[in-house]
Amino acid sequence: MARTIGSHGPTTMEAIRKAGLRLIFQHGYEAMSLRQLAAEVGIQPGSLYNHISTKQELLAELIQDHINDLLRELELALRDRQGPVERLRAFVAFHVSYHMTRKREVFIANSELRSLDPRNYEAVVALRGSYERRLADILSDGVAQGVFDVDDVQVATFAIIALLTGLCSWYRPGGRLTKDAIIAAHEKLVLSGVMPRNAEAAQAGGDRAAPHSG
Amino acid sequence: MARTIGSHGPTTMEAIRKAGLRLIFQHGYEAMSLRQLAAEVGIQPGSLYNHISTKQELLAELIQDHINDLLRELELALRDRQGPVERLRAFVAFHVSYHMTRKREVFIANSELRSLDPRNYEAVVALRGSYERRLADILSDGVAQGVFDVDDVQVATFAIIALLTGLCSWYRPGGRLTKDAIIAAHEKLVLSGVMPRNAEAAQAGGDRAAPHSG
């Protein structure tokens, strides 16, 4: 699959990143050699060092850039969305559709935390925490306003992210369901999962409004 | 960490399996050499072949045995549980508590499908399908009886398994929450997620007589 391209400029760096994603996804970080990476890009091994200083730096960048992209795009998806229910719905739709296109990045960000050196590991865990906090804040707001009923916001945050990210392991474009149907199915599971059983009444301010604690 | 032990019998095989789990979890399957595995067990590389024929066979066995254990234990957990709601509750409690103790096996079964040769891959996907089918059947029964309301049973099956398995990435024994509290939080998310918003009424066939299952 190696293609020979110019060894300078952003194009080469982009080719290195794409090849790195492919190789780490397929073989694992530790098994990927820089020689193999250079061959995949179609440059001499020595030329790699014009673009990256170490394999570790490449891994850290791939993971950090992925989470930074997630954070930036989530900000846009939540803009103008008001209220915990609408914001949770927007979070679900965003996370599902974004993850439909980032299978390799997601896999590597989850499976190769083990391969990050301590400094990079801390940085990635902090970034991931920022993303998780966006969801935790939506859930906490909803609990405070009585529109959500969850036992534990932190457990629910991790569980919802795992549920939504799970589609990376089975989703294939062109499958049985449309993208919209997949988003709707996830919205329903997540929204129902956190709303009180009598949420319609609670939202309407009706006489069965008190959220139970079951 | 290598310990020297006798090189024959089931004890050595057990040590090989445990060392294999540790090394694959930490470094990835492709990066683990049989020489490294033998050193971790404390035997000569050549002695490995008294117990396993190839690295591929070891990986396939680790993953298949894990899923076979899951299937066998699930059977016990569901025995005598009647009705979709009780069976789903039992499925959640089982999957969560089992996964609290199988972090390495779960990680490898998910991340190293890529490393299975085609024959082993097919076998593992079939086994995993059997496990998923147990949950899909519970959900389908619930939909047929009107106690569950899900858009798509297959999407819900994958999503619920991902949600429950997600705890492997954060659960540590001795953390803030008890095991029972963690199980209860997951039960609530999943049960609420699949039950119709007017489930109390649906179950009772009347106004508010039935115990809710939130």
Side-chain angles (χ1 to χ4, degrees):
Chain A
M1 296 287 287
R3 287 157 299 159
T4 304
I5 58 174
S7 68
H8 295 289
T11 313
T12 304
M13 189 57 217
E14 196 44 42
I16 291 171
R17 297 166 56 91
K18 286 198 173 141
L21 277 175
R22 274 197 302 275
L23 290 172
I24 299 172
F25 180 73
Q26 189 57 43
H27 304 287
Y29 170 79
E30 198 169 317
M32 177 187 77
S33 70
L34 288 180
R35 178 168 298 274
Q36 194 179 14
L37 178 61
E40 182 87 359
V41 177
I43 59 178
Q44 293 300 311
S47 304
L48 271 182
Y49 297 103
N50 296 326
H51 305 279
I52 60 170
S53 58
T54 60
K55 192 169 87 158
Q56 173 68 208
E57 183 206 24
L58 176 63
L59 178 66
E61 274 191 26
L62 289 173
I63 297 178
Q64 287 178 11
D65 290 356
H66 166 60
I67 308 178
N68 278 320
D69 286 352
L70 258 182
L71 278 164
R72 195 178 51 247
E73 299 282 331
L74 175 63
E75 221 55 57
L76 296 174
L78 290 181
R79 182 187 288 175
D80 302 327
R81 299 304 190 103
Q82 303 296 327
V85 173
E86 270 318 297
R87 289 174 69 78
L88 180 56
R89 204 183 296 280
F91 182 94
V92 170
F94 162 71
H95 192 98
V96 167
S97 45
Y98 194 85
H99 281 64
M100 283 173 169
T101 65
R102 296 297 197 289
K103 181 183 167 127
R104 286 175 177 152
E105 288 86 338
V106 171
F107 180 83
I108 291 171
N110 285 313
S111 67
E112 294 294 359
L113 288 177
R114 64 183 173 192
S115 300
L116 292 169
D117 70 23
R119 191 176 53 86
N120 289 327
Y121 180 85
E122 292 303 323
V124 165
V125 167
L127 268 181
R128 205 176 52 172
S130 299
Y131 187 75
E132 291 161 353
R133 204 147 44 242
R134 300 289 193 286
L135 175 56
D137 287 347
I138 294 170
L139 295 177
S140 295
D141 288 349
V143 169
Q145 296 177 28
V147 290
F148 295 158
D149 174 27
V150 297
D151 275 8
D152 188 276
V153 165
Q154 195 175 11
V155 171
T157 298
F158 292 150
I160 290 169
I161 289 178
L163 181 159
L164 299 175
T165 303
L167 106 159
C168 289
S169 69
W170 61 265
Y171 175 73
R172 301 287 178 278
R176 179 173 59 88
L177 296 169
T178 64
K179 183 179 159 183
D180 285 348
I182 292 171
I183 291 173
H186 284 84
E187 277 187 10
K188 179 163 174 174
L189 278 167
V190 171
L191 272 290
S192 299
V194 300
M195 290 176 82
R197 304 308 305 279
N198 51 353
E200 290 91 339
Q203 283 194 301
D207 62 1
R208 292 168 55 189
H212 66 68
S213 53
Chain B
M1 296 288 284
R3 288 157 298 158
T4 304
I5 58 173
S7 69
H8 294 291
T11 313
T12 303
M13 189 57 217
E14 196 43 41
I16 291 170
R17 295 166 57 92
K18 285 196 174 140
L21 277 175
R22 274 196 304 275
L23 291 172
I24 299 171
F25 179 73
Q26 190 56 44
H27 304 287
Y29 169 79
E30 197 168 317
M32 177 187 77
S33 70
L34 287 181
R35 180 168 298 275
Q36 194 179 13
L37 178 62
E40 182 87 0
V41 177
I43 60 178
Q44 293 300 313
S47 304
L48 271 182
Y49 296 104
N50 295 326
H51 306 280
I52 60 170
S53 56
T54 60
K55 193 169 86 156
Q56 174 66 210
E57 182 207 23
L58 176 63
L59 177 67
E61 274 192 26
L62 289 173
I63 297 178
Q64 288 179 11
D65 289 357
H66 166 61
I67 308 177
N68 277 319
D69 286 353
L70 258 182
L71 278 165
R72 197 179 49 247
E73 299 280 331
L74 175 63
E75 221 54 56
L76 296 174
L78 291 180
R79 182 186 290 177
D80 302 328
R81 300 302 190 104
Q82 302 296 327
V85 174
E86 270 318 298
R87 288 174 70 78
L88 180 57
R89 202 185 297 282
F91 182 93
V92 170
F94 162 72
H95 192 98
V96 167
S97 45
Y98 193 87
H99 280 65
M100 284 173 168
T101 65
R102 296 296 198 289
K103 182 183 165 122
R104 285 174 179 152
E105 287 87 339
V106 171
F107 179 83
I108 292 170
N110 286 313
S111 67
E112 295 293 359
L113 287 178
R114 64 184 173 191
S115 301
L116 291 170
D117 69 24
R119 193 176 51 89
N120 288 327
Y121 180 85
E122 291 302 323
V124 164
V125 167
L127 267 180
R128 205 176 52 173
S130 300
Y131 187 75
E132 291 160 354
R133 204 145 47 240
R134 300 291 193 284
L135 174 56
D137 287 347
I138 295 171
L139 295 177
S140 296
D141 288 349
V143 169
Q145 295 177 29
V147 290
F148 295 157
D149 173 26
V150 298
D151 276 8
D152 188 277
V153 165
Q154 194 174 13
V155 171
T157 298
F158 292 151
I160 290 170
I161 289 178
L163 181 159
L164 300 175
T165 303
L167 105 161
C168 288
S169 70
W170 61 266
Y171 175 72
R172 300 289 177 276
R176 178 173 60 87
L177 296 169
T178 63
K179 182 179 158 182
D180 284 349
I182 293 170
I183 292 173
H186 285 82
E187 277 186 11
K188 180 164 171 171
L189 279 166
V190 171
L191 272 289
S192 298
V194 300
M195 290 177 81
R197 306 307 305 276
N198 54 350
E200 289 93 342
Q203 277 195 303
D207 36 34
R208 293 169 61 187
H212 70 68
S213 17

